[in-house]
Short mmCIF file of all heavy atoms in Angstrom, two decimals:
data_model
loop_
_atom_site.label_atom_id
_atom_site.label_comp_id
_atom_site.label_asym_id
_atom_site.label_seq_id
_atom_site.Cartn_x
_atom_site.Cartn_y
_atom_site.Cartn_z
N ALA I 1 0.82 -1.18 -0.07
CA ALA I 1 0.00 0.03 -0.02
C ALA I 1 0.86 1.21 0.04
O ALA I 1 1.46 1.63 1.10
CB ALA I 1 -0.90 0.07 1.22
N ASP I 2 0.91 1.89 -1.16
CA ASP I 2 1.65 3.14 -1.32
C ASP I 2 0.78 4.22 -1.44
O ASP I 2 0.11 4.49 -2.62
CB ASP I 2 2.62 3.03 -2.57
CG ASP I 2 3.65 4.11 -2.58
OD1 ASP I 2 3.54 5.06 -1.86
OD2 ASP I 2 4.51 4.06 -3.53
N GLN I 3 0.46 5.14 -0.46
CA GLN I 3 -0.33 6.27 -0.55
C GLN I 3 -1.83 5.84 -0.76
O GLN I 3 -2.49 6.54 -1.56
CB GLN I 3 0.16 7.27 -1.75
CG GLN I 3 1.61 7.83 -1.38
CD GLN I 3 1.99 8.85 -2.30
OE1 GLN I 3 1.24 9.81 -2.54
NE2 GLN I 3 3.27 8.84 -2.85
N LEU I 4 -2.26 4.85 -0.22
CA LEU I 4 -3.66 4.55 -0.22
C LEU I 4 -4.40 5.35 0.91
O LEU I 4 -3.87 5.70 1.96
CB LEU I 4 -3.87 3.09 -0.03
CG LEU I 4 -3.47 2.09 -1.04
CD1 LEU I 4 -3.75 0.58 -0.69
CD2 LEU I 4 -3.93 2.51 -2.49
N LYS I 5 -5.61 5.67 0.67
CA LYS I 5 -6.49 6.27 1.64
C LYS I 5 -6.67 5.47 3.02
O LYS I 5 -6.65 4.24 2.88
CB LYS I 5 -7.88 6.70 1.08
CG LYS I 5 -7.72 7.59 -0.07
CD LYS I 5 -9.15 7.89 -0.64
CE LYS I 5 -9.11 8.71 -1.89
NZ LYS I 5 -10.37 8.97 -2.56
N SER I 6 -6.79 6.12 4.07
CA SER I 6 -7.13 5.40 5.35
C SER I 6 -8.28 4.47 5.32
O SER I 6 -8.34 3.58 5.89
CB SER I 6 -7.13 6.37 6.52
OG SER I 6 -8.34 7.41 6.29
N SER I 7 -9.35 5.07 4.62
CA SER I 7 -10.64 4.28 4.45
C SER I 7 -10.39 2.94 3.67
O SER I 7 -10.74 1.89 4.03
CB SER I 7 -11.63 5.12 3.78
OG SER I 7 -11.31 5.48 2.57
N THR I 8 -9.44 3.06 2.67
CA THR I 8 -9.16 1.82 1.91
C THR I 8 -8.14 0.93 2.71
O THR I 8 -8.45 -0.36 2.73
CB THR I 8 -8.31 2.16 0.62
OG1 THR I 8 -9.06 3.08 -0.18
CG2 THR I 8 -8.03 1.04 -0.24
N LEU I 9 -7.40 1.44 3.52
CA LEU I 9 -6.60 0.52 4.37
C LEU I 9 -7.35 -0.16 5.35
O LEU I 9 -7.15 -1.38 5.73
CB LEU I 9 -5.46 1.38 5.06
CG LEU I 9 -4.33 1.99 4.13
CD1 LEU I 9 -3.53 2.98 5.05
CD2 LEU I 9 -3.49 0.88 3.59
N LYS I 10 -8.39 0.54 5.93
CA LYS I 10 -9.21 -0.06 6.90
C LYS I 10 -10.00 -1.28 6.34
O LYS I 10 -10.22 -2.35 6.94
CB LYS I 10 -10.26 0.89 7.48
CG LYS I 10 -11.13 0.42 8.54
CD LYS I 10 -12.04 1.51 9.12
CE LYS I 10 -12.91 0.98 10.16
NZ LYS I 10 -13.84 2.17 10.73
N GLU I 11 -10.50 -1.10 5.16
CA GLU I 11 -11.33 -2.16 4.49
C GLU I 11 -10.34 -3.38 4.00
O GLU I 11 -10.74 -4.43 4.22
CB GLU I 11 -11.95 -1.64 3.22
CG GLU I 11 -13.03 -0.76 3.52
CD GLU I 11 -13.97 -0.45 2.37
OE1 GLU I 11 -14.55 -1.44 1.73
OE2 GLU I 11 -14.00 0.72 1.79
N LEU I 12 -9.16 -2.93 3.62
CA LEU I 12 -8.16 -4.11 3.37
C LEU I 12 -7.75 -4.96 4.57
O LEU I 12 -7.69 -6.13 4.47
CB LEU I 12 -6.86 -3.47 2.87
CG LEU I 12 -6.87 -2.99 1.28
CD1 LEU I 12 -5.55 -2.17 0.94
CD2 LEU I 12 -7.08 -4.25 0.37
N ASN I 13 -7.57 -4.27 5.61
CA ASN I 13 -7.40 -4.93 6.95
C ASN I 13 -8.54 -5.84 7.42
O ASN I 13 -8.26 -6.81 8.20
CB ASN I 13 -7.03 -3.93 8.09
CG ASN I 13 -5.77 -3.28 7.80
OD1 ASN I 13 -4.82 -3.83 7.25
ND2 ASN I 13 -5.62 -2.05 8.33
N GLY I 14 -9.68 -5.74 6.78
CA GLY I 14 -10.89 -6.56 7.11
C GLY I 14 -10.81 -7.79 6.14
O GLY I 14 -11.78 -8.68 6.31
N THR I 15 -9.95 -7.88 5.35
CA THR I 15 -9.91 -9.06 4.42
C THR I 15 -8.88 -9.99 4.79
O THR I 15 -8.16 -9.73 5.78
CB THR I 15 -9.64 -8.65 2.96
OG1 THR I 15 -8.30 -8.18 2.85
CG2 THR I 15 -10.59 -7.50 2.53
N ASP I 16 -8.64 -11.13 4.09
CA ASP I 16 -7.63 -12.06 4.46
C ASP I 16 -6.33 -11.68 3.83
O ASP I 16 -5.28 -12.54 3.92
CB ASP I 16 -7.93 -13.49 3.98
CG ASP I 16 -9.20 -13.99 4.80
OD1 ASP I 16 -9.28 -13.69 6.00
OD2 ASP I 16 -9.89 -14.88 4.33
N ALA I 17 -6.27 -10.50 3.10
CA ALA I 17 -4.98 -10.04 2.63
C ALA I 17 -4.02 -9.48 3.54
O ALA I 17 -4.54 -9.02 4.55
CB ALA I 17 -5.24 -9.11 1.34
N ILE I 18 -2.81 -9.44 3.35
CA ILE I 18 -1.86 -8.73 4.22
C ILE I 18 -1.48 -7.46 3.57
O ILE I 18 -1.28 -7.21 2.40
CB ILE I 18 -0.48 -9.61 4.26
CG1 ILE I 18 -0.71 -11.00 4.95
CG2 ILE I 18 0.63 -8.79 4.98
CD1 ILE I 18 0.49 -11.94 4.89
N THR I 19 -1.61 -6.50 4.47
CA THR I 19 -1.29 -5.07 4.01
C THR I 19 0.03 -4.59 4.44
O THR I 19 0.31 -4.52 5.59
CB THR I 19 -2.42 -4.02 4.43
OG1 THR I 19 -3.67 -4.43 4.14
CG2 THR I 19 -2.19 -2.73 3.95
N HIS I 20 0.89 -4.28 3.52
CA HIS I 20 2.20 -3.81 3.77
C HIS I 20 2.36 -2.29 3.28
O HIS I 20 2.32 -2.03 2.19
CB HIS I 20 3.32 -4.66 2.96
CG HIS I 20 4.66 -4.25 3.13
ND1 HIS I 20 5.31 -4.11 4.36
CD2 HIS I 20 5.58 -3.68 2.19
CE1 HIS I 20 6.50 -3.63 4.11
NE2 HIS I 20 6.69 -3.42 2.82
N GLU I 21 2.28 -1.44 4.26
CA GLU I 21 2.31 -0.08 3.99
C GLU I 21 3.79 0.51 3.74
O GLU I 21 4.65 0.13 4.40
CB GLU I 21 1.79 0.76 5.03
CG GLU I 21 0.25 0.53 5.32
CD GLU I 21 -0.38 1.60 6.35
OE1 GLU I 21 -0.25 2.66 6.17
OE2 GLU I 21 -0.85 0.87 7.48
N VAL I 22 3.94 1.26 2.72
CA VAL I 22 5.24 1.90 2.38
C VAL I 22 5.06 3.25 1.95
O VAL I 22 4.02 3.81 1.72
CB VAL I 22 5.85 1.16 1.13
CG1 VAL I 22 6.15 -0.27 1.31
CG2 VAL I 22 4.99 1.28 -0.01
N LYS I 23 6.12 4.00 2.15
CA LYS I 23 6.22 5.36 1.79
C LYS I 23 7.61 5.81 1.13
O LYS I 23 8.47 5.63 1.88
CB LYS I 23 5.78 6.33 2.99
CG LYS I 23 5.64 7.81 2.63
CD LYS I 23 5.10 8.69 3.88
CE LYS I 23 4.83 10.09 3.42
NZ LYS I 23 4.52 10.94 4.52
N PHE I 24 7.61 6.30 0.11
CA PHE I 24 8.96 6.61 -0.58
C PHE I 24 8.91 8.09 -1.06
O PHE I 24 7.88 8.71 -1.44
CB PHE I 24 9.12 5.79 -1.82
CG PHE I 24 9.16 4.23 -1.58
CD1 PHE I 24 8.09 3.56 -2.06
CD2 PHE I 24 10.14 3.66 -0.82
CE1 PHE I 24 8.01 2.10 -1.79
CE2 PHE I 24 10.06 2.26 -0.60
CZ PHE I 24 9.01 1.50 -1.02
N GLU I 25 10.18 8.64 -1.06
CA GLU I 25 10.13 10.08 -1.71
C GLU I 25 9.80 9.93 -3.11
O GLU I 25 9.22 10.91 -3.63
CB GLU I 25 11.59 10.56 -1.49
CG GLU I 25 11.82 12.02 -1.86
CD GLU I 25 13.20 12.54 -1.52
OE1 GLU I 25 13.97 11.89 -0.74
OE2 GLU I 25 13.47 13.56 -2.18
N LYS I 26 10.35 9.03 -3.75
CA LYS I 26 9.96 8.86 -5.20
C LYS I 26 9.59 7.29 -5.37
O LYS I 26 10.37 6.45 -5.28
CB LYS I 26 11.11 9.07 -6.09
CG LYS I 26 11.42 10.54 -6.31
CD LYS I 26 12.49 10.79 -7.30
CE LYS I 26 12.79 12.33 -7.51
NZ LYS I 26 13.76 12.54 -8.63
N SER I 27 8.19 7.10 -5.55
CA SER I 27 7.75 5.72 -5.58
C SER I 27 8.08 5.13 -6.96
O SER I 27 8.09 5.66 -7.92
CB SER I 27 6.06 5.72 -5.46
OG SER I 27 5.75 6.28 -4.31
N THR I 28 8.55 3.73 -6.82
CA THR I 28 8.69 2.92 -8.05
C THR I 28 8.20 1.51 -7.64
O THR I 28 8.16 1.23 -6.54
CB THR I 28 10.22 2.84 -8.51
OG1 THR I 28 11.01 2.06 -7.53
CG2 THR I 28 10.87 4.22 -8.60
N LYS I 29 7.90 0.83 -8.73
CA LYS I 29 7.41 -0.61 -8.44
C LYS I 29 8.52 -1.46 -7.92
O LYS I 29 8.24 -2.26 -6.95
CB LYS I 29 6.96 -1.15 -9.91
CG LYS I 29 6.04 -2.30 -9.75
CD LYS I 29 5.60 -2.67 -11.16
CE LYS I 29 4.43 -3.74 -11.08
NZ LYS I 29 3.90 -4.00 -12.41
N ALA I 30 9.73 -1.30 -8.39
CA ALA I 30 10.90 -1.93 -7.88
C ALA I 30 11.08 -1.81 -6.38
O ALA I 30 11.32 -2.78 -5.53
CB ALA I 30 12.11 -1.66 -8.76
N LYS I 31 10.97 -0.54 -5.95
CA LYS I 31 11.15 -0.24 -4.63
C LYS I 31 10.13 -0.90 -3.66
O LYS I 31 10.34 -1.42 -2.59
CB LYS I 31 11.16 1.22 -4.23
CG LYS I 31 12.33 2.00 -4.77
CD LYS I 31 12.09 3.57 -4.45
CE LYS I 31 13.34 4.28 -4.89
NZ LYS I 31 13.09 5.86 -4.74
N ALA I 32 8.90 -0.88 -4.18
CA ALA I 32 7.70 -1.51 -3.45
C ALA I 32 7.88 -2.95 -3.28
O ALA I 32 7.70 -3.55 -2.18
CB ALA I 32 6.43 -1.21 -4.20
N ILE I 33 8.27 -3.68 -4.42
CA ILE I 33 8.49 -5.10 -4.34
C ILE I 33 9.58 -5.56 -3.43
O ILE I 33 9.47 -6.41 -2.64
CB ILE I 33 8.68 -5.60 -5.74
CG1 ILE I 33 7.35 -5.37 -6.62
CG2 ILE I 33 9.07 -7.16 -5.68
CD1 ILE I 33 7.71 -5.69 -8.05
N SER I 34 10.73 -4.78 -3.60
CA SER I 34 11.96 -5.01 -2.77
C SER I 34 11.61 -4.78 -1.22
O SER I 34 12.05 -5.68 -0.32
CB SER I 34 13.07 -4.06 -3.10
OG SER I 34 14.22 -4.31 -2.32
N SER I 35 10.80 -3.83 -0.87
CA SER I 35 10.43 -3.57 0.43
C SER I 35 9.72 -4.71 1.05
O SER I 35 9.91 -5.26 2.21
CB SER I 35 9.58 -2.27 0.63
OG SER I 35 9.10 -2.23 1.94
N ALA I 36 8.67 -5.28 0.23
CA ALA I 36 7.89 -6.34 0.79
C ALA I 36 8.67 -7.70 0.89
O ALA I 36 8.59 -8.49 1.87
CB ALA I 36 6.72 -6.57 -0.27
N LEU I 37 9.71 -7.84 -0.09
CA LEU I 37 10.58 -9.01 0.13
C LEU I 37 11.44 -9.09 1.32
O LEU I 37 11.74 -10.11 1.82
CB LEU I 37 11.42 -9.18 -1.19
CG LEU I 37 10.63 -9.42 -2.57
CD1 LEU I 37 11.65 -9.35 -3.73
CD2 LEU I 37 9.95 -10.86 -2.45
N GLU I 38 11.84 -7.81 1.67
CA GLU I 38 12.65 -7.80 2.87
C GLU I 38 11.86 -8.26 4.17
O GLU I 38 12.56 -8.83 5.01
CB GLU I 38 13.17 -6.30 2.99
CG GLU I 38 14.27 -5.91 2.02
CD GLU I 38 15.48 -6.59 2.32
OE1 GLU I 38 15.78 -7.20 3.33
OE2 GLU I 38 16.43 -6.50 1.46
N LYS I 39 10.60 -7.95 4.17
CA LYS I 39 9.94 -8.17 5.36
C LYS I 39 9.17 -9.56 5.27
O LYS I 39 9.11 -10.28 6.41
CB LYS I 39 8.63 -7.24 5.54
CG LYS I 39 7.89 -7.36 6.77
CD LYS I 39 6.93 -6.12 7.01
CE LYS I 39 6.20 -6.36 8.26
NZ LYS I 39 5.10 -5.23 8.51
N TYR I 40 8.80 -10.00 4.26
CA TYR I 40 7.97 -11.31 4.13
C TYR I 40 8.90 -12.41 3.40
O TYR I 40 9.06 -12.35 2.17
CB TYR I 40 6.75 -11.18 3.32
CG TYR I 40 5.87 -10.02 3.98
CD1 TYR I 40 5.77 -8.77 3.46
CD2 TYR I 40 5.07 -10.35 5.11
CE1 TYR I 40 5.00 -7.83 4.01
CE2 TYR I 40 4.40 -9.42 5.75
CZ TYR I 40 4.26 -8.09 5.16
OH TYR I 40 3.53 -7.10 5.82
N THR I 41 9.41 -13.21 4.20
CA THR I 41 10.47 -14.24 3.67
C THR I 41 10.00 -15.73 3.72
O THR I 41 10.84 -16.51 3.04
CB THR I 41 11.86 -13.97 4.52
OG1 THR I 41 11.52 -14.35 5.83
CG2 THR I 41 12.18 -12.60 4.41
N ASN I 42 8.97 -16.00 4.40
CA ASN I 42 8.65 -17.31 4.51
C ASN I 42 7.97 -18.02 3.23
O ASN I 42 6.75 -18.57 3.36
CB ASN I 42 7.73 -17.52 5.70
CG ASN I 42 7.60 -19.02 6.10
OD1 ASN I 42 8.46 -19.82 5.92
ND2 ASN I 42 6.44 -19.39 6.68
#
């Protein structure tokens, strides 16, 4: 989740999906993916 609204985050948290919030000075797809890979390793 990169710059999603708080209402959207709340609804996502009510699903079975995992929400990984990120914030970058300059957003790129590669940065987002790399950030998730660092945290979720199993």
Side-chain angles (χ1 to χ4, degrees):
D2 188 352
Q3 299 186 47
L4 294 183
K5 297 176 182 177
S6 57
S7 57
T8 303
L9 293 171
K10 183 177 180 180
E11 290 192 66
L12 282 173
N13 289 330
T15 70
D16 290 331
I18 297 171
T19 304
H20 174 61
E21 293 186 58
V22 295
K23 187 175 182 180
F24 305 108
E25 184 177 344
K26 288 186 178 181
S27 295
T28 70
K29 198 170 185 177
K31 287 180 183 177
I33 294 169
S34 183
S35 173
L37 291 176
E38 289 288 347
K39 183 173 182 179
Y40 303 99
T41 60
N42 191 30

